[in-house]
Amino acid sequence: MKLKWESISTLHQNVFLVKVLAAVFITGLAFRFYAVRFGQVSVNEISDPQISPPSVIISENEDLLPIDIEVEKCDLFTGKWIRDPLGPIYTNGSCGVVVDSHQNCITNGRPDSGFLYWKWKPNDCSLPRFDPLRFLQLMRNKSWAFIGDSISRNHVESLLCMLSTVEKPVEVYHDDEYRSKRWLFPSHNLTISNIWSPFLVQAAIFEDSRGVSSAAVQLHLDILDNTWTDLFPSIDYAIISSGEWFLKTAIYHENANIVGCHGCPQSSNITDLGFDYAYNTSLRHVMDFIARSNTKGTFFFRTSIPDHFENGEWHNGGTCKKTEPVNEDEVEMKVLNKILRDVEISQFQRVVTEMGQEAGHFKLLDFAGMLLTRPDGHPGPYREFRPFDKDKNAKVQNDCLHWCLPGPIDYLNDVILEIIVNS
Ligand SMILES: *[C@@H]1O[C@H](CO)[C@@H](O)[C@H](O)[C@H]1NC(C)=O
Ligand SMILES: *[C@@H]1O[C@H](CO)[C@@H](O)[C@H](O)[C@H]1NC(C)=O
Ligand SMILES: *[C@@H]1O[C@H](CO)[C@@H](O)[C@H](O)[C@H]1NC(C)=O
Ligand SMILES: *[C@@H]1O[C@H](CO)[C@@H](O)[C@H](O)[C@H]1NC(C)=O
Ligand SMILES: *[C@@H]1O[C@H](CO)[C@@H](O)[C@H](O)[C@H]1NC(C)=O
């Protein structure tokens, strides 16, 4: 297994390295376990690309195949990106206002557009092109919530753009910091909320708007963030996710006591429990809450999505320069992403097993493998407006974590609609 050690360069290495080695070992074991126990999850392609089934030859007009064939058995998350001359269903022109300017890559001057002409093709079935009218009609009088961090916002903006080709959303609410928002599609009476809750548990964050922190995050692993739990009973569909924020330096609390930390301050004598402990404990409470919530809604838990920084990270010059998808065997998920995903899948699997028959309305969205092969889908330097206009050698911070809109993240909605239609 080739490992991307550069991804841990920012962390406290000596303590951490031991943990990572242990975690890699555990991860390896766990992947074998899931491959057997948890057929729904397409971990094979990530841990060992050689053993995934051979790819299917697709006829030119595969969209015309009857869509009901094999659909029930089809794993929508295992497949490949194939060329698609149709391209996205919206443009920077038709959806400029909804998109965060940092993800509006075409407007910001990204010169290549080849990355827009690929669509997701599951191995064992065809995935119909997202039909915004169908979605709106199915979702009449319904309410959706996207709960999580900025990737969640990226995803909600993608869906809003796709739906806005049929009906324009009206923003009906935002919080003081414009982090949580709600939109209404008036003629379908569909409400879509984006709820900012990057940890899902209660957190005191000391950061300015540029993400520069002045103190460690204080994280209460056993108290859920009520910005989302309060809303939960009224939601028909929710997509819940978390991940990257747990990598931050933080002090952990349980039962109102400090129990440990991650990236602990040198002077403290608090135990470094590692972010995986905190993520595991928090997700355990999240999953248990959902399992007990007894609401009629459908809940999706989305695994965290890998980034594609190369030769560095956000803050030290990492870039992503690819302009096409890559093959599965050309990429390996970074160790940190594997650890996060491993915790996510094991907590999800645990609660679904415990729920038994009741688990039908709780579903996993595991897009990690699908998006891992799209290093070309990020803004890179085009998170800023025309960054090279003044100086074509300008040093620009790259974004290899969020996704251009339009871009590969749009295909998450094709998959989600297909799951809803078939369930
Ligand atoms: C879309 O992108 C093109 C090409 O960069 C640009 O000329 C146009 O102004 C953009 N449209 C909007 C509405 O941002
Ligand atoms: C909109 O949907 C809600 C349920 O989500 C329902 O209570 C309300 O009556 C609907 N409003 C209209 C105008 O149809
Ligand atoms: C939506 O809500 C309105 C008002 O409550 C009701 O008349 C209508 O039948 C509902 N439509 C659907 C599809 O539930
Ligand atoms: C370190 O531990 C000692 C003894 O357990 C305790 O008295 C002290 O307050 C601790 N210091 C910090 C900074 O937590
Ligand atoms: C996560 O918590 C479960 C109990 O819910 C425990 O069995 C497992 O060992 C924990 N995993 C990690 C990585 O801490």
Side-chain angles (χ1 to χ4, degrees):
M1 188 173 5
K2 56 181 188 301
L3 300 175
K4 303 218 165 127
W5 291 108
E6 73 271 14
S7 61
I8 57 166
S9 59
T10 59
L11 296 152
H12 289 231
Q13 290 200 351
N14 24 5
V15 189
F16 192 73
L17 220 58
V18 180
K19 283 203 177 146
V20 166
L21 286 171
V24 169
F25 180 67
I26 294 163
T27 308
L29 287 180
F31 275 173
R32 283 169 172 275
F33 173 75
Y34 295 125
V36 179
R37 280 288 310 279
F38 201 49
Q40 291 291 87
V41 181
S42 53
V43 286
N44 286 349
E45 56 166 337
I46 288 146
S47 56
D48 187 359
Q50 275 76 39
I51 59 172
S52 34
S55 42
V56 181
I57 314 264
I58 303 120
S59 73
E60 288 278 275
N61 55 353
E62 53 96 16
D63 275 345
L64 304 177
L65 294 174
I67 56 163
D68 51 353
I69 292 183
E70 288 285 331
V71 153
E72 285 208 3
K73 274 180 258 144
C74 181
D75 175 1
L76 297 168
F77 301 98
T78 305
K80 63 195 282 196
W81 294 89
I82 60 169
R83 288 188 188 275
D84 174 25
L86 289 175
I89 69 172
Y90 66 96
T91 66
N92 71 314
S94 67
C95 200
V97 281
V98 172
V99 178
D100 183 316
S101 62
H102 293 312
Q103 282 100 54
N104 202 344
C105 303
I106 303 296
T107 299
N108 289 348
R110 179 168 171 170
D112 60 308
S113 59
F115 73 101
L116 298 173
Y117 296 90
W118 297 88
K119 68 174 171 187
W120 179 245
K121 170 69 181 75
N123 284 342
D124 300 329
C125 56
S126 70
L127 178 62
R129 191 171 163 86
F130 185 84
D131 180 347
L133 183 58
R134 185 161 194 214
F135 186 95
L136 287 167
Q137 285 171 345
L138 280 171
M139 295 302 156
R140 188 175 289 282
N141 294 348
K142 300 286 190 213
S143 68
W144 274 74
F146 287 68
I147 300 159
D149 57 22
S150 57
I151 303 290
S152 212
R153 180 172 65 224
N154 203 181
H155 186 189
V156 85
E157 289 177 358
S158 157
L159 180 62
L160 293 171
C161 286
M162 293 170 96
L163 298 177
S164 72
T165 58
V166 172
E167 187 185 1
K168 296 281 177 229
V170 179
E171 191 185 306
V172 291
Y173 166 83
H174 63 77
D175 65 2
D176 290 344
E177 286 139 344
Y178 292 83
R179 287 191 137 160
S180 293
K181 290 185 180 179
R182 189 162 66 240
W183 295 266
L184 174 69
F185 289 84
S187 60
H188 293 87
N189 191 26
L190 162 65
T191 303
I192 298 184
S193 303
N194 182 205
I195 298 158
W196 174 255
S197 184
F199 291 103
L200 303 176
V201 294
Q202 221 179 68
I205 301 167
F206 306 94
E207 249 178 41
D208 65 18
S209 57
R210 289 167 302 140
V212 178
S213 68
S214 53
V217 176
Q218 301 288 329
L219 211 54
H220 294 266
L221 308 182
D222 54 355
I223 307 177
L224 300 181
D225 178 2
N226 66 354
T227 53
W228 69 271
T229 54
D230 286 354
L231 212 79
F232 216 62
S234 65
I235 297 292
D236 296 299
Y237 292 88
I239 302 183
I240 299 163
S241 57
S242 185
E244 297 260 337
W245 280 66
F246 279 87
L247 305 180
K248 291 174 190 275
T249 297
I251 311 285
Y252 301 143
H253 302 248
E254 279 178 84
N255 286 319
N257 290 313
I258 292 179
V259 293
C261 56
H262 165 59
C264 307
Q266 219 116 62
S267 57
S268 85
N269 53 4
I270 310 172
T271 318
D272 195 319
L273 291 171
F275 71 87
D276 51 337
Y277 171 83
Y279 195 34
N280 194 35
T281 305
S282 302
L283 283 190
R284 190 174 76 233
H285 290 290
V286 169
M287 299 286 175
D288 287 348
F289 172 81
I290 296 171
R292 281 196 311 266
S293 67
N294 251 337
T295 52
K296 61 185 185 334
T298 298
F299 305 109
F300 296 97
F301 182 76
R302 178 175 63 64
T303 57
S304 54
I305 290 174
D307 69 74
H308 290 99
F309 285 101
E310 286 180 52
N311 305 312
E313 298 292 324
W314 266 105
H315 57 282
N316 58 3
T319 57
C320 39
K321 295 185 169 161
K322 299 214 166 57
T323 54
E324 284 198 354
V326 295
N327 284 322
E328 285 169 17
D329 50 10
E330 291 173 66
V331 276
E332 179 92 25
M333 202 186 287
K334 293 178 187 176
V335 172
L336 293 181
N337 293 124
K338 279 186 180 171
I339 296 169
L340 292 173
R341 182 161 168 277
D342 195 28
V343 168
E344 290 157 353
I345 291 177
S346 69
Q347 280 298 339
F348 177 84
Q349 177 62 2
R350 175 191 64 80
V351 82
V352 160
T353 305
E354 285 172 18
M355 286 165 85
Q357 302 253 306
E358 302 288 298
H361 68 296
F362 195 20
K363 298 175 194 297
L364 188 69
L365 296 175
D366 185 22
F367 295 114
M370 170 175 167
L371 288 174
L372 187 63
T373 53
R374 294 306 306 270
D376 57 327
H378 301 287
Y382 297 99
R383 69 185 297 273
E384 302 295 346
F385 184 66
R386 309 197 67 89
F388 303 113
D389 273 8
K390 287 208 191 88
D391 170 7
K392 67 179 171 39
N393 298 314
K395 277 222 177 314
V396 183
Q397 189 179 44
N398 278 233
D399 181 356
C400 306
L401 173 64
H402 301 97
W403 301 87
C404 289
L405 296 178
I409 197 173
D410 295 332
Y411 291 87
L412 272 51
N413 299 319
D414 298 48
V415 171
I416 290 164
L417 177 54
E418 192 62 8
I419 292 172
I420 289 168
V421 167
N422 289 313
S423 62

